[in-house]
Amino acid sequence: MDCQSVWANCLKTIKQTLPEQSFNTWFLPIRAIRLRNSVLTIQVPTRFYYEWLEEHYVEILRQAIRQEIGQDGQLEYSVVNTAANQNPYQKSIVHANKQQGSLLHQPNKQPVPNPTPLNKPANSTYLPTVARKTEKPFQSNLSPKYTFDNFIEGDCNRLARSAGHRIAGNPGKNSFNPLICYGGVGLGKTHLAQAIGNSIIKNLPSKRVLYISAEQFTTDYVNATRQNMIQEFQKSYFALDVLIIDDIQFFVGKEKTQENFFHIFNNLHQSQKQIIMTSDRAPNELRGLQDRLLSRFKWGLTTDIQVPGYQTRVQIIRAKLEQEDGLFSEEVIDFLARKITTNVREIEGIVISLLAKSQLLNEVLTVSLAQQTLGGIVSDEAPSLSLKEIEDLIIGYFNVTTEELQSKSRKKPIADARQFAMYLANQFTEFPLKAIGWFFGKRDHTTVIHACRAIPQKAEQDAQYKYILEDLLEKIRTLY
Ligand code: ADP
Ligand code: MG
């Protein structure tokens, strides 16, 4: 028996029991990829897909498998196309002969668990799904490693953290709805957002909390559109108590996804359900997000997370050491806290590599050894600026307005100012070309690429451009 013919036979059986459209939508896109030890592995395009199958067709699948492979037959799903921060390969197993359901492999966890017989009564399957309304447990996508307990508080995150705490105690029914938390990379946005979610499910286990990246939301939405399942998609969101959407800058420029999100947002907000969002930039820099969405954000609280100050960095280093069972001298801790000024992720990474190094050399870590090691790790790259800072610099320097920068005008000073703005934004911010293009007048990323090539060329060929560029670079240095 090869997997293709087994699956083809399953499909034949399934086809007889389903309306044609459902069959075409849900079963035709499935690919059989393996049959081993009575386990048939099928590949489905997304997690939403998998959940839908499990929610609606698990019995039909079970029967087909039983018929084709026998009582020992099992079905295993492989879900491709998951968000970057999730396990790229999720599995779930349906047994042909048992009434147990399946365990969706949770992201950021141990390897795929073996299905354990739950011996549940005949019709109670244990299926994690977004669409499920009444049964537990609900698949929240939260990683248990992010909690309030291990989130160090400092001036940099105090407001965000305390708002998060308040929300966790009373989700939806507070004045922080929605909560938007923004800040640069590695500063703890995802950690905080998930800590809120984890705290809610711990204290209020009946609440349905969903954590999802804006990227995954978009993928799921696109797939739902393709399959004509928008209503079902939305319904699964309407059933939530708390929606946590990470990195909403991903929605920039994606009009259809935004419309869909707007609808879900309104519905949840009206029913006093909590919405939590994170973004890598302030809402007023999220150009390319519809105004009506942006104005909704003002209903709640927008708060930033800053780069941690020295004292907080010391605490973060200590906490990381404790977690890793490591010990550094006070001098080394002080040295590191002074030296690593970028973000928490970098602090964590450096502490871990220094611990590894001192273990490897079997030596106590001294400041000079740390210094030696850091030489290769800490980047001397210029710190990142915001798009707004670049814009302000350009507006002042060229004496143009924001509107002119964003306009289609090709008048020389305006067009030059715009090109310099794009060039500098690419050099001194962390934003992708697409975001830069959107920020400066909804332009395509190719326009930004063009500017990035044009400016150095012009500066090489024309002394006046060279002078302006050097002058601007000098001004940028004073901004740090
Ligand atoms: P972001 O989403 O802002 O890019 P993350 O939430 O992924 O950043 O944080 C990066 C790393 O730093 C994670 O391992 C997180 O646990 C850790 N971290 C960030 N802020 C803190 C904090 N205040 N206390 C402890 N750990 C933190
Ligand atoms: Mg994040």
Side-chain angles (χ1 to χ4, degrees), residues 230-260:
I230 289 303
Q231 279 191 349
E232 287 75 5
F233 176 85
Q234 290 185 337
K235 248 167 114 179
S236 70
Y237 278 87
F238 295 164
L240 297 172
D241 295 304
V242 179
L243 172 60
I244 304 171
I245 297 225
D246 206 356
D247 289 321
I248 55 164
Q249 73 276 359
F250 194 82
F251 286 156
V252 164
K254 302 195 171 61
E255 299 277 332
K256 286 269 180 260
T257 308
Q258 285 176 40
E259 255 165 49
N260 178 49

Side-chain angles (χ1 to χ4, degrees), residues 269-308:
H269 196 273
Q270 271 162 20
S271 344
Q272 291 198 310
K273 303 297 173 58
Q274 182 71 44
I275 301 154
I276 298 160
M277 292 175 274
T278 75
S279 161
D280 71 353
R281 61 202 91 146
N284 65 1
E285 293 201 38
L286 282 168
R287 282 191 198 149
L289 220 58
Q290 294 166 358
D291 287 344
R292 57 178 193 169
L293 203 47
L294 288 174
S295 70
R296 292 288 193 271
F297 294 171
K298 299 201 178 100
W299 290 348
L301 177 75
T302 298
T303 168
D304 63 342
I305 296 193
Q306 301 271 346
V307 174

Side-chain angles (χ1 to χ4, degrees), residues 30-68:
I30 297 175
R31 280 184 42 223
I33 52 177
R34 191 168 54 231
L35 176 64
R36 201 183 293 152
N37 303 332
S38 299
V39 180
L40 175 69
T41 307
I42 57 170
Q43 193 175 61
V44 295
T46 65
R47 225 194 80 200
F48 176 66
Y49 218 94
Y50 146 78
E51 283 162 346
W52 193 263
L53 285 171
E54 290 249 300
E55 173 89 349
H56 296 92
Y57 302 117
V58 72
E59 261 322 306
I60 294 177
L61 279 164
R62 190 170 280 147
Q63 271 166 22
I65 292 291
R66 193 181 295 162
Q67 192 176 315
E68 287 312 312

